[in-house]
């Protein structure tokens, strides 16, 4: 899982915003092993995928949706 917190620049306090999880993930998929962020995009790495016929490294891109005020799944990248 990936936990997202936002910082209030006025109060300098951090608050929990959202938890990202894989819908088809397992306990051994290592989702969140590597994370890179910008203000509106999060890239989440998952080096091990279990439960499928082939194991491939994957990365998941999430984009911030201004209307829903949360990060939503945008694209999945898979190693060849």
């Amino acid at each position: 899982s990936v936990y997202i917190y936002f910082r209030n620049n006025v109060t300098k306090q951090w608050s929990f915003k959202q938890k990202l999880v894989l819908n088809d993930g397992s306990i051994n998929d290592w989702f969140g092993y590597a994370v890179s962020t910008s203000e509106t995009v999060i890239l989440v790495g998952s080096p091990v995928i279990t439960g499928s016929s082939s194991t491939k490294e994957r990365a998941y891109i999430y984009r911030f949706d201004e209307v829903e005020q949360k990060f939503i799944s945008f694209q999945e990248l898979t190693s060849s």
Side-chain angles (χ1 to χ4, degrees), residues 2-74:
V2 174
Y3 296 86
I4 301 170
Y5 290 81
F6 281 90
R7 185 171 187 236
N8 182 310
N9 289 329
V10 175
T11 65
K12 309 295 187 214
Q13 298 294 313
W14 290 91
S15 60
F16 174 76
K17 179 70 174 174
Q18 185 178 351
K19 178 181 176 181
L20 302 178
V21 295
L22 283 178
N23 292 336
D24 61 349
S26 73
I27 196 164
N28 295 322
D29 63 19
W30 289 54
F31 178 79
Y33 179 79
V35 176
S36 181
T37 65
S38 72
E39 286 188 31
T40 59
V41 177
I42 297 176
L43 178 67
V44 180
S46 182
V48 179
I49 301 296
T50 59
S52 63
S53 59
S54 62
T55 300
K56 295 183 177 183
E57 294 80 13
R58 296 185 182 175
Y60 301 86
I61 300 172
Y62 292 84
R63 297 184 79 174
F64 190 75
D65 185 298
E66 291 289 337
V67 175
E68 294 189 35
Q69 288 294 298
K70 67 178 185 177
F71 284 91
I72 58 171
S73 179
F74 176 72

